[in-house]
Amino acid sequence: MPDAAFDPRAVPGADAHAAALHSPALKHHFDDLGQQKEAATLGMWLFLATEVLFFGGLFAAYLLYRVWYPDVFGEASRSLDITLGSVNTLVLIGSSLTMALAVHAAATGQRRTLMIFIALTMLLGAVFLGIKGVEYYDKIVHHHVPGPSFHFEGPTPERAQLFFSLYFAMTGLHAFHMVIGLGLMTVILLMAWRGRFSATWYTPVEMSGLYWHFVDIIWIFLFPLLYLVDRHS
Amino acid sequence: MSHVIPRRIYYVIFAVLVVLTLVTTEVAFFDFGLMNPVIALTIAVVKATVVVLYFMHMRYSSRLTMVIGAAGIFWLGILLALTMSDYLARGAGTY
């Protein structure tokens, strides 16, 4: 968006400069679109680095309790549905592919293809959340939700409750990020529909894509940690 | 600055991720003792790495962006290593 208060032609001697570099997407405090995009990319990665630490606290808690209580964590882990977990992993990987193809479509100025791939990404994201909902419902039915009605066979149900607390905190925070991702994709879809993007400027598509892939990566680690590590015994 | 990489690469990466997901799920049913978590997490790290490098275009990004990405992982390492070294040095179950 051009800044309405800034007219480069009002600056003495700026005419040539403005004529050479003017693009409606270029903000006046950047030299050119390349520098502007570089700044956006850097800022997005900086945000994602803070997100790594945000999730990192939960990963540290999980790691610690799993090392302390390996037996009951293994048993609780085996109560999760590995089929739903792996199908959801494939669904998210599929959504990362459609997201990457959406960014590719934006970069090559294909508006319709961009909109189709964003819609597909949203659909796969919704499928993921639906399957997650089925799993959560199963936990409620089996009284595996931490709280007064929690029930788990074994000598130390309170330690199993720790596992399920971490399970809900980690998958819940991840699902919350997915919901935010779906919100971002709705905005991108609307902007694409209104023809806001071009092959020279599609930064929001690419930044939302970075966010979407990051959320995929979180699941890539949640899946083995929660579903897989104690499956064999 | 703008790098448009061929779509074929995305399909290849997608295939790699699907194969690794199936492998890690299948391997989890076999007992390798202490190696089970090592195998599962190694596959997860490989999957995350190809997502970062290709889907997230890190391979084609500026050095400064790479430093930020590496710093995120480095700080996560500090968080996990120092937390675990402290708690484990106190003995199991001791707060």
Side-chain angles (χ1 to χ4, degrees):
Chain A
M1 289 288 291
D3 191 335
F6 179 76
D7 184 353
R9 282 159 300 188
V11 179
D15 301 49
H17 175 80
L21 294 169
H22 185 76
S23 157
L26 181 64
K27 302 221 166 133
H28 64 81
H29 50 281
F30 289 112
D31 288 341
D32 53 55
L33 282 174
Q35 188 196 43
Q36 178 172 301
K37 190 176 178 190
E38 178 62 30
T41 308
L42 191 65
M44 194 62 202
W45 275 102
L46 204 53
F47 166 69
L48 293 182
T50 70
E51 286 271 276
V52 167
L53 294 176
F54 185 27
F55 278 95
L58 283 168
F59 277 101
Y62 178 83
L63 185 63
L64 177 67
Y65 282 114
R66 203 188 161 272
V67 170
W68 270 354
Y69 311 131
D71 298 341
V72 71
F73 263 53
E75 223 163 285
S77 164
R78 280 191 292 282
S79 79
L80 301 180
D81 192 324
I82 191 168
T83 310
L84 292 182
S86 49
V87 166
N88 246 356
T89 309
L90 294 175
V91 168
L92 263 200
I93 288 170
S95 79
S96 262
L97 173 68
T98 56
M99 187 69 238
L101 292 173
V103 173
H104 183 275
T108 48
Q110 301 167 275
R111 180 169 153 270
R112 256 181 67 87
T113 317
L114 165 64
M115 289 176 68
I116 290 168
F117 279 122
I118 291 291
L120 277 175
T121 306
M122 292 177 73
L123 180 71
L124 288 168
V127 168
F128 176 91
L129 287 175
I131 293 177
K132 204 77 224 142
V134 169
E135 288 190 83
Y136 280 0
Y137 177 74
D138 187 63
K139 298 282 165 295
I140 296 167
V141 170
H142 288 94
H143 295 282
H144 286 170
V145 182
S149 69
F150 182 81
H151 179 77
F152 196 81
E153 293 296 333
T156 52
E158 72 281 0
R159 291 179 182 177
Q161 193 162 218
L162 262 178
F163 174 87
F164 286 105
S165 299
L166 286 164
Y167 167 83
F168 278 106
M170 295 169 98
T171 59
L173 188 63
H174 177 263
F176 178 61
H177 275 76
M178 293 286 299
V179 172
I180 292 174
L182 287 177
L184 283 176
M185 290 308 142
T186 310
V187 173
I188 296 298
L189 195 58
L190 275 172
M191 288 175 82
W193 183 56
R194 289 178 184 162
R196 293 284 173 82
F197 304 123
S198 67
T200 48
W201 187 76
Y202 56 96
T203 308
V205 185
E206 194 156 359
M207 297 308 113
S208 307
L210 287 180
Y211 176 87
W212 191 271
H213 295 307
F214 168 80
V215 177
D216 183 19
I217 287 174
I218 294 294
W219 183 261
I220 283 175
F221 284 100
L222 286 181
F223 173 59
L225 286 175
L226 295 172
Y227 292 76
L228 293 184
V229 283
D230 292 296
R231 193 55 58 170
H232 55 278
S233 27
Chain B
M1 175 59 218
S2 185
H3 295 275
V4 179
I5 62 177
R7 263 179 302 184
R8 197 174 53 84
I9 291 181
Y10 294 132
Y11 293 120
V12 171
I13 296 302
F14 172 69
V16 167
L17 290 170
V18 167
V19 168
L20 285 176
T21 301
L22 297 177
V23 167
T24 193
T25 308
E26 198 52 40
V27 160
F29 286 98
F30 295 92
D31 189 356
F32 296 108
L34 282 173
M35 286 306 285
N36 274 89
V38 175
I39 293 167
L41 286 175
T42 304
I43 291 177
V45 167
V46 172
K47 284 165 76 180
T49 306
V50 295
V51 170
V52 167
L53 288 181
Y54 294 97
F55 281 175
M56 299 173 88
H57 298 169
M58 188 55 109
R59 217 192 126 175
Y60 313 97
S61 293
S62 69
R63 287 286 166 84
L64 187 56
T65 308
M66 289 180 187
V67 168
I68 297 289
I73 297 165
F74 181 68
W75 272 309
L76 179 67
I78 293 176
L79 174 68
L80 296 179
L82 293 190
T83 304
M84 291 309 284
S85 63
D86 180 28
Y87 277 108
L88 294 182
R90 293 171 192 226
T94 318
Y95 298 99

